[in-house]
Amino acid sequence: MERTFDQVVENGRPRLYRTPTELLASGTIAGVEIALGVLAFLAVEQATGSKLLAGLAFSVGFIALLLGNSELFTEGFLVPVAVVAAKEATYGRLVRFWALTLLGNLVGGWATMWAVVTAFPALRSTAVKDGATYATSSLSLSTFLLAVIAGVTMTLLTRMRNGTDNDVAKVVASVAVAFLVAGLSMYHSVLDTLFIFGGIHAGGTYGYGNWIVFFGWSVLGNVIGGLGITTALRLLRSSERLQEWRHSPGPHHSA
């Protein structure tokens, strides 16, 4: 367990010290990769009518994130927060990391979803329908809990990936989480935003005002699930090792 926590801090520290340009580029690439997963989802759902099979197809996006080492906003909870908790980086760097990563995700995803619905006109009706699922949803306890569970699930994916050096196991974890998050229509702030963007580009009757409401609701739930539950419990479990890091900060502590 101590080795795993050490690995989380050591691997996560360089991510918080990337330049703004590097963070934006990494986040934008992640937005493109997730959009390609959405493309796979739409194609399989239209061909089969099954969201569960489409969820498996969406794993293309998560596998691309894994192999490309790009940054997805909701995967930036456990590892960067552990780095800051260990006093290996400042809160300012954490906020910068989140903001630039999220901006890149949205820009890359918006542009790629425009390309998707333009290049694949046969998918437009499915894109409009799936986008409406999120854009016109209510702010209810049910939808909020879908966002909380999505945050928990995505942070568990990060935990599983950091818990093994086996690439096959990491891919299996990516497929399993894609099935849960996309196949069961959990509320994932970035993923479902791309469904909404695709629907808007395809001519859906909803717009960016609907997206803003959805996005705020889902981000809040994702943060509570990913930070308030999974990350907090992980840090609590490693509290002794965390204290050792805090009293013996690394070379980047004062940066």
Side-chain angles (χ1 to χ4, degrees), residues 16 21 31 33 47 57 70-71 106-108 113 144 172 239 250 253 255:
L16 291 177
T21 300
E33 292 167 343
S70 45
E71 299 286 358
L106 296 178
V107 170
M113 288 310 301
F144 185 71
V172 170
S239 57
H253 173 55

Side-chain angles (χ1 to χ4, degrees), residues 49-182:
S50 171
K51 286 187 178 292
L52 295 180
L53 289 177
L56 290 175
F58 173 76
S59 62
V60 168
F62 281 172
I63 293 171
L65 285 174
L66 168 67
L67 299 180
N69 291 315
S70 45
E71 299 286 358
L72 181 65
F73 171 65
T74 51
E75 281 196 292
F77 292 158
L78 173 61
V79 175
V81 170
V83 174
V84 173
K87 292 190 174 182
E88 291 294 301
T90 64
Y91 286 101
R93 286 190 176 275
L94 177 62
V95 171
R96 187 192 69 158
F97 172 84
W98 280 340
L100 294 178
T101 295
L102 179 57
L103 177 60
N105 290 169
L106 296 178
V107 170
W110 184 92
T112 308
M113 288 310 301
W114 172 83
V116 164
V117 300
T118 302
F120 298 92
L123 296 178
R124 290 178 185 172
S125 60
T126 304
V128 169
K129 175 177 65 70
D130 284 350
T133 299
Y134 305 104
T136 63
S137 61
S138 62
L139 304 184
S140 64
L141 177 61
S142 175
T143 57
F144 185 71
L145 291 177
L146 284 172
V148 172
I149 295 170
V152 169
T153 305
M154 288 300 301
T155 307
L156 284 175
L157 173 60
T158 303
R159 174 70 183 88
M160 288 187 286
R161 286 176 173 177
N162 280 277
T164 179
D165 294 323
N166 188 306
D167 289 338
V168 174
K170 292 180 181 181
V171 169
V172 170
S174 299
V175 173
V177 170
F179 173 78
L180 290 173
V181 174

